[in-house]
Amino acid sequence: MPIEHAAIIGAGISGLTAALALSRRGISSEIFEQAGELTDIGAGLQVSPNASRILAELGILEGLSKVWLEPDAIRLISGGSLRQLAAVPAGKFARERWGAPYGVLHRTTLQKALLAAVAADPLCRLHLGVRMDSTPPPFERAVDVVIGADGVWSKLRQIVPGSPSPRFSGNIAYRFTIAETEAPGFLDRTSVSAFLGGSAHLVCYPLRETGSFNMVAITAGNIAPQAWQSEATAEQRAQLRARLSGWNTAIVSLLDRNRKLTFWPLFETTSGAWQDGRKTVLIGDAAHAMMPFAAQGAAMAIEDAYELAAFLSNRPVAEALARFERHRAPRIAKLRQRGAFNRFAYHAKGPIRIGRDLVLGLKPPLSLAADLDWIYGYRAVDLP
Ligand SMILES: Cc1cc2nc3c(=O)[nH]c(=O)nc-3n(C[C@H](O)[C@H](O)[C@H](O)COP(=O)(O)OP(=O)(O)OC[C@H]3O[C@@H](n4cnc5c(N)ncnc54)[C@H](O)[C@@H]3O)c2cc1C
């Protein structure tokens, strides 16, 4: 018998997308979010065609594409010489090759758009300020499935035997912003730029909604137990500075200007079960938080949400959850491998760096794009 009602823990990107995708299939849901209100959290987000195709189907894309930037390329640039090493075309090319746009925006813009769609949907009901602790919150009515979309620190995970655990990845993200009016000329206003240097890389792109550049540097680093996102201390700032030794002074001086710098330890999850064989399932970061080296965490959360709804729409719950997990796990594992490879390549030093630059220099843009077909060209199951 098809399911009628779902409970979703967490109103992040995965939870809200799941509610909308279920609604498309006539399944109602109630969503429980710990935050009393959804405020401006997080940073910039790159939304690749595999995810934007789903957002289009859910009726979200049209509004987003009025405010986001479709970069003309994703550029890899030497953090030392500022020389472009390679560029993957995006913009019109992305729409044509992968059948959907590549956009960059603030995470809050996406979350608000999803939230507005959920608020307007009679099959979705959002409860703010309700935190799940050791047991799920009281549901308004009987639920057929409980979906854990509660992020890397998921509580719902505790009721899925053998589920993944969070662990510090050994990487730190440092985030800051620069007003577009103050941005130096080498920061391209129409593309995503990833500056690469031994031990670190720095991703920059403009956020049209805020009139600023989103700047995130990622390096290896250590943390004190329980460390969480916070304003960088002088010592943490000095650690980043040390990682950027040998980088172009134009980049280093961006950091040296007295700007607010956020210290953001990056956590990931180990592998493990995503469902309990009955009626509880994890999606998004709750199931498989990953490093941002392939910029795919939110895209995977969106794919998960859409595909879970498709599996739930036409088979018994336990079977749907098992098929969902079997179907998604290989793709997530492959993306993790791509992320690990990107980390190795982005932070390469010495002869490996020289080899990397040579290989990148020889690869035509079309060949770089072809390497991404399996990620960006992916069509979630049952997408019309
Ligand atoms: C530096 C950085 C850059 C990134 N860049 C990109 C990118 O460019 N592209 C991309 O696709 N991805 C990117 N990501 C990854 C992306 O941000 C995440 O994968 C994505 O936001 C995960 O969404 P989620 O809904 O699964 O989890 P979350 O966004 O963590 O949402 C979880 C929600 O659950 C709520 N919650 C948690 N616990 C409870 C509880 N006990 N009870 C009730 N509610 C609860 C939280 O308040 C939150 O609202 C990046 C990540 C980082 C760190």
Side-chain angles (χ1 to χ4, degrees), residues 67-374:
V67 292
W68 78 7
L69 170 77
E70 280 182 43
D72 57 17
I74 319 298
R75 298 179 201 283
L76 301 181
I77 299 169
S78 160
S81 66
L82 302 187
R83 181 174 67 85
Q84 179 172 300
L85 304 170
V88 181
K92 188 163 165 280
F93 175 91
R95 284 178 176 267
E96 283 166 5
R97 185 170 185 102
W98 298 302
Y102 194 111
V104 296
L105 76 180
H106 198 283
R107 180 181 178 280
T108 308
T109 308
L110 173 57
Q111 198 177 12
K112 282 189 176 152
L114 291 167
L115 206 53
V118 160
D121 190 325
L123 289 185
C124 305
R125 190 154 149 67
L126 175 64
H127 305 273
L128 291 174
V130 183
R131 178 176 163 76
M132 178 189 152
D133 287 311
S134 47
T135 53
F139 305 134
E140 283 187 335
R141 50 179 274 212
V143 298
D144 301 299
V145 61
V146 182
I147 301 172
D150 49 344
V152 65
W153 300 107
S154 170
K155 286 276 183 209
L156 199 74
R157 226 187 255 140
Q158 292 170 0
I159 56 176
V160 176
S163 59
S165 314
R167 68 169 176 219
F168 175 55
S169 67
N171 297 294
I172 312 280
Y174 292 84
R175 177 172 184 259
F176 60 109
T177 55
I178 297 182
E180 238 185 290
T181 46
E182 291 174 25
F186 71 85
L187 289 186
D188 193 306
R189 276 141 175 90
T190 60
S191 64
V192 173
S193 306
F195 295 93
L196 314 184
S199 316
H201 77 284
L202 172 69
V203 178
C204 320
Y205 49 86
L207 294 176
R208 272 181 54 195
E209 313 101 293
T210 57
S212 62
F213 271 85
N214 180 67
M215 317 278 294
V216 179
I218 300 184
T219 78
N222 297 315
I223 53 164
Q226 307 298 320
W228 187 231
Q229 193 171 326
S230 55
E231 181 137 4
T233 60
E235 193 188 334
Q236 289 162 344
R237 190 182 272 267
Q239 271 170 20
L240 172 60
R241 192 70 167 64
R243 297 272 174 192
L244 299 182
S245 86
W247 279 55
N248 195 291
T249 51
I251 296 185
V252 178
S253 72
L254 287 178
L255 275 168
D256 285 347
R257 287 194 227 152
N258 194 17
R259 288 177 197 283
K260 193 173 165 231
L261 185 66
T262 305
F263 177 85
W264 190 351
L266 297 178
F267 287 79
E268 61 189 354
T269 51
T270 57
S271 50
W274 299 346
Q275 49 96 25
D276 68 353
R278 293 174 52 243
K279 63 181 228 178
T280 307
V281 62
L282 307 169
I283 61 172
D285 277 12
H288 45 67
M290 58 180 75
M291 290 303 88
F293 291 100
Q296 282 293 310
M300 290 305 105
I302 291 168
E303 286 186 7
D304 277 359
Y306 191 85
E307 295 201 309
L308 176 63
F311 282 113
L312 282 168
S313 67
N314 54 15
R315 35 178 89 68
V317 176
E319 186 192 328
L321 300 191
R323 290 201 49 176
F324 165 77
E325 185 176 30
R326 276 203 305 278
H327 172 74
R328 293 295 299 157
R331 180 159 169 82
I332 298 295
K334 204 171 163 193
L335 259 162
R336 281 189 197 272
Q337 280 168 13
R338 171 57 74 98
F341 174 78
N342 285 356
R343 184 188 187 285
F344 168 76
Y346 288 2
H347 295 186
K349 295 183 207 173
I352 297 176
R353 179 184 61 76
I354 295 168
R356 175 201 70 193
D357 293 355
L358 267 173
V359 171
L360 282 176
L362 290 172
K363 275 207 158 203
L366 261 182
S367 151
L368 291 167
D371 284 348
L372 293 162
D373 283 348
W374 68 274

